[in-house]
Amino acid sequence: MGFAFAYRLILVVAVASVLGVSLANKDWGSPNSNYTGWGWGWGWGSSKANHTGQDFNNHPVNETQGPKKIIVGGSENWHFGFNYSDWAFNNAPFYFNDTLVFKYDPPSNTTFPHSVYLFSDRWSYLNCDLKRAKMVANATQGGGEGFEFVLKRWTPYYFACGERNGFHCKVGGMRFMVMPLFRWHY
């Protein structure tokens, strides 16, 4: 009985936390906000804060954004020696149905091979333990347009390069974690 109550309480707290984080980026009427579209605030009833079709920061008003394609590492792509944890932190938040695109050169005489592994848990990720990870892209799938991975569930995703028995993960910075959020349309 007590366990069931504790489980429900944890579930309520988790859902409330996700909603709180997702709503944190809403426009609450501030002219310094990054998001717009509530129709009240500095315009007092106007759907356009400065009557130009844009808010005070020149962002389009009432524009709903859908899923995005995000190139992992940006212009750096997926390679040894780049800190992908910092990249993920600086490019967050990530949302449901966003697509991560892993681009890397296929193996050759001048480039080392890369791959993409998905870890099943945080502990395996932190220790770069590939025994509990699943290869989602091999060394040749990152060429051309890259390998695409869609964030379909509300769960942490732990990614890393599995080449050299985890050396790229451990020493080369080729690992990162994302937790997709709900995208609220208003």
Side-chain angles (χ1 to χ4, degrees), residues 4-28:
F5 174 77
Y7 178 76
R8 286 188 194 110
L9 181 62
I10 289 171
L11 182 62
V12 168
V13 169
V15 169
S17 297
V18 168
L19 289 174
V21 168
S22 296
L23 292 174
N25 288 331
K26 289 284 191 192
D27 174 22
W28 300 110

Side-chain angles (χ1 to χ4, degrees), residues 79-120:
H79 70 84
F80 187 84
F82 184 79
N83 190 327
Y84 291 93
S85 293
D86 283 349
W87 170 83
F89 179 79
N90 291 325
N91 287 277
F94 298 91
Y95 294 96
F96 281 111
N97 294 321
D98 280 352
T99 301
L100 300 179
V101 182
F102 293 83
K103 290 186 174 188
Y104 47 94
D105 294 328
S108 70
N109 291 337
T110 58
T111 62
F112 288 109
H114 298 297
S115 57
V116 181
Y117 276 74
L118 183 62
F119 290 95
S120 60

Side-chain angles (χ1 to χ4, degrees), residues 21-40 42 49 54-65 68 91-95 181 183-184 186:
V21 168
S22 296
L23 292 174
N25 288 331
K26 289 284 191 192
D27 174 22
W28 300 110
S30 167
N32 295 322
S33 173
N34 288 331
Y35 296 90
T36 63
W38 280 82
W40 57 274
W42 291 97
Q54 298 184 338
D55 72 357
F56 289 99
N57 292 324
N58 292 322
H59 293 111
V61 175
N62 287 334
E63 191 171 292
T64 305
Q65 298 178 0
K68 295 181 181 179
N91 287 277
F94 298 91
Y95 294 96
L181 301 175
R183 186 183 315 270
W184 296 100
Y186 48 90

Side-chain angles (χ1 to χ4, degrees), residues 119-147:
F119 290 95
S120 60
D121 59 80
R122 185 172 182 244
W123 182 254
S124 298
Y125 164 75
L126 290 174
N127 292 297
C128 295
D129 182 5
L130 296 172
K131 291 179 280 201
R132 298 190 61 180
K134 176 184 176 186
M135 181 188 284
V136 292
N138 65 31
T140 61
Q141 288 178 281
E145 295 297 311
F147 166 73

